[in-house]
Amino acid sequence: MVRLILHAGRAAAARQGLVRSVRLGACIAPRAAVEMPSSRWTGSQLESRRLFSRSSYLRNMTAAEIALKQAKELAAANMTPEAAAARMSPEEAKRLARVRNIGIAAHIDSGKTTVTERILFYTGRVKAIHEVRGRDGVGAKMDSMELERERGITIQSAATFADWKKKEKGVEETYHINLIDTPGHIDFTIEVERAMRVLDGAVMVLCAVSGVQSQTITVDRQMKRYNVPRISFVNKMDRMGANPWKAVEQINTKLKIPAAAIQVPIGSEKELEGVVDLIEMKCIRNDGQRGVNLKISKEIPAEIKDLCEQKRQELIEKLADVDDEIAEMFLEEQTPSPEQIKAAIRRATIACKFTPVLMGSAIADKGVQPMLDAVCDYLPNPNDTDNIALDRSKGEQPVKLVPYNSLPFVGLAFKLEENPYGQLTYMRVYQGSLKKGAYLFNSRGNKKVRIPRIVRMHSNEMEDVNEIGAGEICAVFGVDCASGDTFTDGGLPYSLSSMYVPDAVMSLSIKPKRSSDADAFSKAMNRFMREDPTFRLHVDEESEETIISGMGELHLEIYVERLRREYKVDCETGQPRVSYRETITQKAEFDYLLKRQSGGPGDYARVMGWIEPNPNGGEDNHFESRVVGGTIPDKYIGACAKGFQEACIKGPLLGHKVIGSSMVITDGATHVTDSSDYAFNLAAQMAFGKAFAAAGGQVLEPLMKTTISAPAEFQGNILMLMNKRGTIVDTEVGADEFTMVADCSLNAMFGFSTHLRAATQGKGEFSMEFSHYAPAPPHLQKELVQKYQKELEAKRSK
């Protein structure tokens, strides 16, 4: 067709011929316009283009150019997300409707990995169930690291996939579930963070005894940060003191998200038999070896019938608060049908306005299959969520991505892992499909890479595939990139926002015991930093020590242990170093003159003004120029600002970062030959350092939100431990266990785990996460400053 148009263009000499060619060009794809409701070539617009063809602008173009331009515009219109969604084939829509990308997230020891193990067993992905702590010498499938099996904790998030068969309207439908099991410990919070960045939904697991705990609140915050809908599963219903209604209430009050139970347990603690489904009002009991079979009956036990009616009414009332359709029915005093309740739960859950609460006990093999049904019923498929990319060609304008295979490819590398076969890159495909051997472009640097191998992960096992469709999660080999990089097919200038990375709070000095291990040590450190954005390494310029920083004692301890096991490198670690901060508390004026001669041109700069706490509050540092009359030329103002920022990197008291300060320059002086950017940069740094003491410079220490759980009998011992270490914020005493929340100085928490074990006969546990910076006690400030001055003097005298 284009060749015909080109011939028409060459033959067009008269005005009639030109108009005819334009009309021919305008009719290139009438079928596409019919197929595509959102195409912008309507009849009236086509006619207006024909009229426009008579204009002087069009007379200067050949017919071929006009036709090609229109063809390009039409192709661009065809590739818009709206157009793609409108012409999605029924097969493609059905495939997407049956995909779920979910994560399992919770507080430590709530049973995430046990729940995941049961999911894999009931979906047929594993043939036998193994327990988390590896009592049978095998360990849970998703805890593939030797360290994880030894300690009974999850350290790295692990991905797998499974197919769940679910009956819908008498027909068995197969749902494809991509699942990520995440760690619960705050030290490995980045693993949860990056999982939440790429998932469409999540299962939040809660302990029936403890309810909402400290790390549950952290996980909730991460889900809200990335708008991840969740269903809640109250696990450990077979434990003594299990109270699911307390957990439901705490989700509403502590997490501030409307929640209601959609199940009622039949029996409790050791007598747990199953659950009553409040939507269909039927009993579901697990039967057979490992609870594989489900016994469903309409007969609800008499002792819980009233409770079920009450909880069903509460569910409808809670839905009426978050869903308009149910609200209307509620006001008209109509009873919604089970289908209407399910549809309302799905709408409210996907909109992050509600979380349905299910119950069971993974270790007792009860309630897991109904939870899988709820994942399919209420959590979104890739097409239900708004995944936004930023178009760099249009000033980072947001663009919606559509999980349609025929669109150009867009994917995000969200996790890296070293493997015997090379770097393994976990990737979420947001748009388009990924084929083996395809070429992709990394949007950071626009580097072209080939994809030699695509695998689906099943914990540490791999299954090779040739193609992955839109909306799926996979892993690829042979791609050199960083965590958070966006990949496209090269045709789209898109990039995806990366994940939030928290600051490190603890540091250790480290060095290999044998100098011959230096190469292996360096290789390991590079690998750990690539894999984990919260693990950082730098060399202290003054002490020449290698310093590693991380999220806590356990985090760094795990990496030192991995060095020994995986790289056979034994290391010596130094005293943990706390990341202190420095700040100022009042206004102090300065008038600093830098005047130096060194044989050639000298350095001359004079700066005047004041420093004060940042008037806007917060931790940011602020620079402002109020120079009038050009006493300091504009070209040197930038150097002053840079000097101030450099001075804030290494504070005068301890050499730590300065936060929450502001510098205002009002006047100064220059020299014809001796003034320079360097001179003003240095003058600003020196002026800041000199005025710092007068501005009430002080040391800030990190306070950690510490949550301690222990049997109630040890409450007095723990109170004594905490009196010296921090301020108690909250205490909650249960039937047989109590929980204490305190703000503690990180410096006072070194070795706390040993003291806690001694005070509670090994039965207590605690978790810490960074809370905020607060002024250190005066005696500690004095001690720290003196120690820092001694270190500086020792280095000068060398």
Side-chain angles (χ1 to χ4, degrees), residues 328-345:
E328 276 181 38
M329 296 182 78
F330 185 75
L331 291 170
E332 291 168 11
E333 296 185 0
Q334 295 176 10
T335 304
S337 68
E339 288 72 27
Q340 287 170 320
I341 294 174
K342 278 188 173 182
I345 292 173

Side-chain angles (χ1 to χ4, degrees), residues 583-586 588 611 652-653 687-698:
T583 193
I584 50 178
T585 55
Q586 62 197 43
I611 60 171
L653 297 178
F688 183 76
K690 295 280 183 193
F692 198 82
Q698 66 176 7

Side-chain angles (χ1 to χ4, degrees), residues 511-514 516-522 524 559-572:
K511 66 175 180 182
K513 284 182 179 174
R514 297 182 298 272
S516 57
D517 288 338
D519 284 350
F521 176 79
S522 174
Y559 277 115
V560 172
E561 186 62 20
R562 283 183 66 187
L563 263 171
R564 189 177 67 77
R565 293 186 184 208
E566 295 172 29
Y567 289 88
K568 307 288 184 282
V569 176
D570 281 324
C571 290
E572 290 175 358

Side-chain angles (χ1 to χ4, degrees), residues 609-681:
W610 66 81
I611 60 171
E612 62 182 349
N614 189 342
N616 302 322
E619 294 187 358
D620 292 337
N621 296 313
H622 173 71
F623 176 86
E624 190 181 341
S625 167
R626 294 187 189 171
V627 176
V628 289
T631 49
I632 302 178
D634 287 346
K635 62 179 178 179
Y636 296 142
I637 295 292
C640 293
K642 201 172 177 186
F644 167 63
Q645 294 299 342
E646 284 173 19
C648 290
I649 292 168
K650 217 168 182 185
L653 297 178
L654 300 181
H656 282 271
K657 195 175 169 186
V658 177
I659 59 172
S661 64
S662 173
M663 183 183 227
V664 179
I665 289 186
T666 56
D667 203 355
T670 58
H671 187 274
V672 180
T673 55
D674 291 352
S675 288
S676 63
D677 280 351
Y678 171 76
F680 274 93
N681 181 313

Side-chain angles (χ1 to χ4, degrees), residues 7 68 107 119 125 196 209 236 252 291 326-327 376 378 396 403 522 628 633 635 672 683 715 729 757 760:
H7 284 307
L68 286 169
H107 183 82
I119 290 172
R125 284 297 288 146
M196 291 303 153
V209 178
K236 302 193 178 184
N252 280 288
I326 299 291
C376 303
Y378 308 127
E396 300 205 334
S522 174
V628 289
K635 62 179 178 179
V672 180
Q715 190 172 355
V729 176
R757 276 197 291 267
T760 60

Side-chain angles (χ1 to χ4, degrees), residues 233-364:
F233 181 66
V234 179
N235 192 26
K236 302 193 178 184
M237 283 295 298
D238 59 332
R239 268 187 67 185
M240 183 86 70
N243 182 359
W245 312 118
K246 175 182 132 186
V248 174
E249 185 196 337
Q250 287 180 338
I251 295 171
N252 280 288
T253 55
K254 286 190 175 181
L255 303 185
K256 306 283 190 298
I257 178 165
I262 61 169
Q263 291 176 345
V264 166
I266 305 169
S268 64
E269 299 176 358
K270 286 184 179 176
E271 271 69 58
L272 181 71
E273 291 176 36
V275 292
V276 175
D277 178 355
L278 295 178
I279 300 167
E280 305 273 358
M281 290 302 274
K282 61 187 182 185
C283 294
I284 303 169
R285 291 179 173 89
N286 287 77
D287 191 31
Q289 181 74 19
R290 287 292 190 179
V292 170
N293 303 320
L294 291 181
K295 282 169 66 180
I296 298 169
S297 70
K298 287 278 185 185
E299 289 177 25
I300 297 168
E303 64 270 19
I304 59 168
K305 199 157 191 174
D306 289 346
L307 178 66
C308 291
E309 293 290 348
Q310 178 200 330
K311 293 297 175 187
R312 191 176 199 268
Q313 189 58 31
E314 281 179 22
L315 169 64
I316 292 168
E317 286 174 17
K318 190 65 77 171
L319 283 172
D321 291 339
V322 294
D323 186 80
D324 293 343
E325 191 179 308
I326 299 291
E328 276 181 38
M329 296 182 78
F330 185 75
L331 291 170
E332 291 168 11
E333 296 185 0
Q334 295 176 10
T335 304
S337 68
E339 288 72 27
Q340 287 170 320
I341 294 174
K342 278 188 173 182
I345 292 173
R346 181 173 176 81
R347 284 193 299 272
T349 304
I350 290 173
C352 297
K353 293 177 181 175
F354 178 77
T355 174
V357 183
L358 297 98
M359 296 161 194
S361 170
I363 203 147

Side-chain angles (χ1 to χ4, degrees), residues 406-419:
S406 68
L407 282 172
F409 177 84
V410 180
L412 179 75
F414 66 94
K415 176 176 157 77
L416 310 179
E417 210 176 86
E418 281 295 325
N419 192 281

Side-chain angles (χ1 to χ4, degrees), residues 180 194 198 412-416 426-428 473 483-484 499:
I180 296 179
R194 54 183 161 201
V198 297
L412 179 75
F414 66 94
K415 176 176 157 77
L416 310 179
Y426 287 78
M427 195 176 285
R428 165 73 195 262
I473 290 172
S483 184
M499 65 222 61

